[in-house]
Amino acid sequence: MGVDDLEGFDQLLILLDYGVATNAIAESSQTTRRAANSYIYCEREGSSNNYAYLVVDDKTKDAVIIDPANPPEVAPVLKQQVDSGKINLTSIINTHHHWDHAGGNSKILEQFKGLPVIGGKQCEAVTKTPKDGETFKIGEGITVKALYTPCHTQDSICWYMEDGSEKVVFTGDTLFIGGCGRFFEGTPAEMNTALNKTLAALPDDTKVYPGHEYTKTNVKFLATVLQTEPVMKLQSFAENNKETQGKFTIGDEKTYNVFMRLDDPTVQKATGKTDPVDVMGKLREMKNSM
């Protein structure tokens, strides 16, 4: 990926794109960009649609790794960053307990012993579960807030981060670009709360970093429900870009993501429902059947 989507976020952010089904590295690219008193370094590896994210405070080099589910691909990059003195790895953070997000914790801990594991109570090797709304710091510059979003799993937590005026949220399998996760352990009412109360309340300019790259398939579904300019623009972007994480905001999602437009008359007509929870449930049913 490029780094334009991270410009202004005055801490180091490393993105690791890894394949959960294979250890083979399909591609690798590195870019470095300096701005003000900080720099942004991005690296990607792997061949699947899962994302792990490494967020590093530039001043202190303190770092957290989010959802490092495939240690054979993630651990070498972490080791290189640690050994080169670029980061001080302080913890693992998980968005939920599913194996393709938290299943690599124990293996990572074999190499990086003693790291706290921050996540829901069902996450592998978890040592700390923050309360809903609880905040903590990465180094000196990044404030992290835990946002409980139960539905995909009951332990799903989205991680909202602020660095000065820049804002990002790591949404795991709760919110995708143009979609949302399946309701494996929850209800339409819970997903409605997660998306349209908890995440929708974030500032509109908050950039979204989901747990998977599902945008191309998501937008195909969106286009069956809404034929609007925002949907068409997202479709065009997805067709011309392999990665979409960090390219869109919470405000953008409100314009095209039908799971966040439950009061839209066109969405209601497509579902045959008007109550928001019923619309949410029907949309998920329709998406599942595609």
Side-chain angles (χ1 to χ4, degrees):
M1 63 168 287
V3 295
D4 290 344
D5 53 351
L6 303 177
E7 185 175 7
F9 192 79
D10 69 355
Q11 307 295 329
L12 177 65
L13 175 61
I14 301 174
L15 308 180
L16 309 174
D17 177 10
Y18 59 92
V20 297
T22 175
N23 292 336
I25 294 177
E27 64 177 332
S28 178
S29 70
Q30 299 181 5
T31 55
T32 305
R33 184 169 187 163
R34 291 186 177 273
N37 297 317
S38 64
Y39 65 93
I40 297 168
Y41 172 90
C42 301
E43 180 171 341
R44 71 173 184 267
E45 302 184 0
S47 58
S48 190
N49 57 35
N50 287 68
Y51 287 117
Y53 298 99
L54 182 66
V55 183
V56 186
D57 178 73
D58 187 36
K59 184 175 182 179
T60 64
K61 302 188 186 304
D62 286 351
V64 301
I65 180 69
I66 301 175
D67 288 351
N70 194 358
E73 291 186 350
V74 176
V77 181
L78 292 178
K79 186 176 186 300
Q80 187 277 327
Q81 294 290 308
V82 170
D83 290 350
S84 66
K86 292 180 178 178
I87 69 169
N88 170 36
L89 192 60
T90 61
S91 62
I92 297 168
I93 292 179
N94 290 138
T95 58
H96 60 293
H97 72 263
H98 282 165
W99 68 271
D100 59 333
H101 294 264
N105 291 352
S106 294
K107 285 292 185 182
I108 294 291
L109 290 171
E110 289 178 7
Q111 186 166 349
F112 301 96
K113 298 184 185 302
L115 287 180
V117 177
I118 304 171
K121 294 180 179 179
Q122 291 179 266
C123 292
E124 183 177 286
V126 67
T127 60
K128 179 177 174 56
T129 300
K131 296 178 181 179
D132 187 22
E134 185 175 339
T135 63
F136 59 92
K137 287 276 194 177
I138 301 172
E140 297 178 5
I142 302 173
T143 301
V144 185
K145 178 183 283 190
L147 300 175
Y148 280 24
T149 51
C151 183
H152 180 72
T153 65
Q154 283 299 300
D155 69 344
S156 290
I157 301 175
C158 293
W159 301 97
Y160 173 65
M161 302 189 185
E162 290 183 309
D163 177 17
S165 63
E166 294 299 311
K167 297 167 283 289
V168 300
V169 62
F170 298 91
T171 56
D173 288 2
T174 295
L175 173 65
F176 300 122
I177 305 301
C180 70
R182 290 176 182 259
F183 308 168
F184 285 130
E185 298 180 9
T187 66
E190 286 180 314
M191 186 59 80
N192 181 42
T193 296
L195 297 184
N196 298 311
K197 296 180 182 178
T198 302
L199 294 179
L202 296 176
D204 279 348
D205 60 346
T206 302
K207 294 175 183 177
V208 178
Y209 288 85
H212 296 270
E213 184 54 61
Y214 288 161
T215 308
K216 285 185 179 180
T217 55
N218 285 340
V219 78
K220 288 180 181 178
F221 174 67
L222 297 184
T224 68
V225 179
L226 284 177
Q227 293 80 42
T228 60
E229 184 177 358
V231 171
M232 297 303 105
K233 285 183 176 180
L234 178 62
Q235 187 169 39
S236 176
F237 188 91
E239 288 173 352
N240 290 284
N241 294 272
K242 182 179 179 181
E243 301 173 20
T244 60
Q245 82 287 1
K247 297 293 186 181
F248 298 94
T249 66
I250 290 293
D252 293 328
E253 291 299 307
K254 293 175 182 178
T255 68
Y256 53 66
N257 191 329
V258 293
F259 296 96
M260 297 184 76
R261 296 184 60 82
L262 305 183
D263 294 329
D264 187 315
T266 303
V267 176
Q268 293 180 348
K269 182 178 179 180
T271 62
K273 310 289 183 180
T274 55
D275 178 81
V277 172
D278 292 339
V279 176
M280 175 68 77
K282 185 61 177 181
L283 285 171
R284 186 68 257 176
E285 179 184 320
M286 292 163 61
K287 178 68 164 61
N288 291 350
S289 67
M290 282 192 67

